[in-house]
Amino acid sequence: GEVQPPEAGPKSAAECGRLEREIALLDALEGCPPDRLETVHGGFVLGCLQQRLAGGAGAPGPGGAEVKRAVEEFFGLKPLAADAADEDGLPEEAEDFSLPDEL
């Protein structure tokens, strides 16, 4: 029998748009592993991704929540709880600390 080539290209405009967004996200993630969104520097990483996805100086980009949701969906990450997103990794209890009177 004759071998048929697979169907080329997306089936709909919606699928095409989704693929374009995924490619843009992958380009923006170059050098920014998605697991860094869950670290102390997550806000900085998110800001960098937003700027990269905006495409140019002064161009409006996607919001932080939209970028974070796209990364979570693309990589199959579970969403962070609202309170977990604000954690800084430091202990909650304050520790007593004092310098000696003399060095």
Side-chain angles (χ1 to χ4, degrees):
E2 190 175 317
V3 176
Q4 296 292 323
E7 269 188 53
K11 294 179 173 49
S12 69
E15 185 178 355
C16 184
R18 181 187 59 80
L19 292 173
E20 287 175 358
R21 287 189 301 274
E22 285 182 4
I23 290 169
L25 180 61
L26 286 173
D27 286 342
L29 282 166
E30 185 176 341
C32 276
D35 60 343
R36 287 193 182 167
L37 285 171
E38 298 180 11
T39 68
V40 172
H41 306 290
F44 177 75
V45 172
L46 189 60
C48 288
L49 290 174
Q50 285 178 266
Q51 186 177 14
R52 288 178 180 183
L53 289 169
E66 183 181 343
V67 171
K68 193 168 185 178
R69 185 177 59 250
V71 170
E72 289 167 346
E73 287 175 7
F74 185 79
F75 288 98
L77 302 174
K78 64 179 183 176
L80 289 176
D83 58 342
D86 295 328
E87 287 184 20
D88 56 10
L90 301 174
E92 288 187 29
E93 289 186 30
E95 294 181 20
D96 290 333
F97 176 81
S98 60
L99 294 172
D101 294 332
E102 295 179 25
L103 293 177

